Amino acid sequence: MSGDPPNWEFKDRDIAILSELSTDPQLSSRELTQVLESEYDIDVSHVTVSESIRRMRDEGVFREAIIPNEEYYIFALFEFKFNPEHFDEYWRDAMEYIKQDKHTLFFFLSDGEYQWKTVMMFRDRQEVSQWIHDCYSEHGAVIANIRNSAVHNVLKFQTDPRIYEELGEDR
């Protein structure tokens, strides 16, 4: 996957497909074809739907990920504060360590005092503590502090299909 943004001109069909897949990612192209016709008055073949999904995926319009049911894992939000004295020399190794770690679900940069943030998944609290210990052992020269918060009661864990309506407004 490249760092380039997707180059895509959205059609009403594409927006409808993204909305429906957000509601039910398991829909087949044949089922989507029926939904497009009945709900959006869009008449296309299942081959066209399948091709559209493939091209959007290949272009990077959306990403697919397998997210385990939250009953199997505990989620934690980690925020990383840097030691600027060693940042230049060690930041890349620390970033790769966090980014490539099997526990990392979501990793992003932000502004403020804690500039790296991750949402991570663990089997239990002991595993969280061990991960923090290992991270400090490995990358303590660049990480001045890790602030972690347990994420309790995940109440929503999906993309709301209404978000795609805005893509049609951009045209």
Side-chain angles (χ1 to χ4, degrees):
M1 189 174 307
S2 75
D4 297 332
N7 180 19
W8 195 262
E9 291 289 326
F10 286 96
K11 298 176 182 170
D12 290 340
R13 175 189 69 219
D14 302 329
I15 294 167
I17 288 170
L18 291 171
S19 294
E20 292 304 320
L21 287 176
S22 292
T23 302
D24 183 357
Q26 302 303 316
L27 283 174
S28 70
S29 59
R30 288 187 192 278
E31 292 168 322
L32 265 170
T33 301
Q34 294 169 350
V35 172
L36 291 175
E37 187 168 4
S38 65
E39 300 292 321
Y40 300 91
D41 199 29
I42 298 173
D43 185 20
V44 292
S45 73
H46 75 277
V47 174
T48 301
V49 170
S50 183
E51 179 65 16
S52 187
I53 292 168
R54 186 193 61 74
R55 286 184 25 245
M56 283 193 288
R57 182 186 302 116
D58 290 349
E59 184 58 39
V61 170
F62 67 94
R63 296 181 178 129
E64 294 178 288
I66 295 174
I67 309 292
N69 186 301
E70 59 273 13
E71 296 300 320
Y72 294 117
Y73 294 92
I74 59 170
F75 293 84
L77 171 66
F78 283 41
E79 301 172 288
F80 299 84
K81 182 178 180 180
F82 304 121
N83 175 353
E85 181 183 351
H86 300 289
F87 185 81
D88 241 11
E89 188 175 353
Y90 298 113
W91 74 270
R92 182 167 300 281
D93 287 343
M95 184 182 76
E96 290 300 324
Y97 177 85
I98 297 163
K99 188 173 141 186
Q100 301 303 323
D101 191 274
K102 71 179 183 179
H103 300 99
T104 302
L105 173 66
F106 192 67
F107 180 42
F108 58 99
L109 308 179
S110 67
D111 56 3
E113 198 172 5
Y114 289 80
Q115 294 182 6
W116 292 351
K117 294 181 174 45
T118 63
V119 175
M120 302 181 92
M121 305 180 320
F122 298 92
R123 294 292 291 153
D124 56 40
R125 301 273 173 235
Q126 184 178 348
E127 198 174 39
V128 173
S129 295
Q130 186 63 51
W131 191 93
I132 292 169
H133 172 83
D134 294 346
C135 186
Y136 275 128
S137 296
E138 193 80 23
H139 300 284
V142 70
I143 296 172
N145 189 35
I146 299 175
R147 183 166 58 189
N148 73 306
S149 306
V151 177
H152 298 284
N153 301 328
V154 176
L155 301 175
K156 182 177 179 180
F157 206 63
Q158 73 179 66
T159 302
D160 190 315
R162 295 173 296 178
I163 194 76
Y164 297 111
E165 294 169 6
E166 297 171 2
L167 294 173
E169 296 167 5
D170 291 345
R171 290 185 278 147

